[in-house]
Amino acid sequence: MSYSDILYSLSQTISSQSADVDEKISRLKKAKKDLVNEQHAVENEWEKILDPDLGQSWTGNRADHFDKARRGAKKEIEQTFQEEVEQYTSQIQQKINLLEMQRESLRVASYLSHEAGGLLHKGEEAYAAIEHKFTEIRKRLL
């Protein structure tokens, strides 16, 4: 296999992995945005848990107990939902951060492959430098 074949293969791998990482980042960002939008929609619905307002039409111990239980349920739902949304958004952001680091590594690998291409055109005296660039590129791809 010639150096130009190796360089072509590495460039294709970099391109493919870059596209894959970009797609994953895009999907995760959309999922995070959708999750936040859903959180806002649910928050707007929480008040309906307390509907109808019992007001003066229903009084006594049973009414007080029922109203207290209803408010407790609302508080529990709010707290649980907020904790879960925060956990999910945090996990999504961590994955995005890891993928962005991977994308940056692929950018470096792409730069190195362009340098190797330039060396390849210089001829045999540059073969040692090309082999070194290939080694650096492979490290970035792992």
Side-chain angles (χ1 to χ4, degrees), residues 113-124:
S113 72
H114 289 298
E115 283 187 340
L119 292 171
L120 190 61
H121 294 316
K122 289 185 178 183
E124 287 188 33

Side-chain angles (χ1 to χ4, degrees), residues 32-84:
K32 184 178 174 185
K33 180 181 174 188
D34 291 348
L35 185 58
V36 169
N37 288 340
E38 188 65 26
Q39 178 184 18
H40 291 257
V42 169
E43 287 172 354
N44 292 332
E45 296 294 318
W46 285 342
E47 292 306 316
K48 290 183 181 179
I49 292 172
L50 300 179
D51 284 341
D53 183 73
L54 300 179
Q56 298 297 331
S57 62
W58 201 36
T59 59
N61 284 342
R62 283 185 72 187
D64 292 342
H65 180 68
F66 177 76
D67 200 37
K68 185 177 180 180
R70 197 165 59 158
R71 291 187 189 284
K74 178 183 180 271
K75 184 178 180 181
E76 183 102 10
I77 289 169
E78 287 174 339
Q79 185 177 9
T80 301
F81 185 76
Q82 286 175 337
E83 288 173 1
E84 287 182 13

Side-chain angles (χ1 to χ4, degrees), residues 1-132:
M1 183 178 248
S2 71
Y3 283 131
S4 61
D5 291 339
I6 293 171
L7 184 58
Y8 177 77
S9 176
L10 289 172
S11 294
Q12 291 297 328
T13 300
I14 292 166
S15 178
S16 173
Q17 287 183 8
S18 293
D20 185 48
V21 166
D22 288 342
E23 180 188 344
K24 286 177 182 176
I25 289 172
S26 177
R27 286 192 346 241
L28 285 169
K29 284 183 176 181
K30 182 183 181 317
K32 184 178 174 185
K33 180 181 174 188
D34 291 348
L35 185 58
V36 169
N37 288 340
E38 188 65 26
Q39 178 184 18
H40 291 257
V42 169
E43 287 172 354
N44 292 332
E45 296 294 318
W46 285 342
E47 292 306 316
K48 290 183 181 179
I49 292 172
L50 300 179
D51 284 341
D53 183 73
L54 300 179
Q56 298 297 331
S57 62
W58 201 36
T59 59
N61 284 342
R62 283 185 72 187
D64 292 342
H65 180 68
F66 177 76
D67 200 37
K68 185 177 180 180
R70 197 165 59 158
R71 291 187 189 284
K74 178 183 180 271
K75 184 178 180 181
E76 183 102 10
I77 289 169
E78 287 174 339
Q79 185 177 9
T80 301
F81 185 76
Q82 286 175 337
E83 288 173 1
E84 287 182 13
V85 168
E86 287 176 16
Q87 180 182 4
Y88 289 138
T89 54
S90 176
Q91 289 173 349
I92 290 170
Q93 188 59 51
Q94 287 174 358
K95 289 179 182 180
I96 290 170
N97 292 344
L98 287 173
L99 288 168
E100 286 175 342
M101 289 182 349
Q102 186 178 356
R103 179 171 51 188
E104 187 58 34
S105 182
L106 289 167
R107 283 185 185 143
V108 171
S110 178
Y111 173 78
L112 292 172
S113 72
H114 289 298
E115 283 187 340
L119 292 171
L120 190 61
H121 294 316
K122 289 185 178 183
E124 287 188 33
E125 66 273 2
Y127 283 166
I130 291 171
E131 287 179 2
H132 176 71

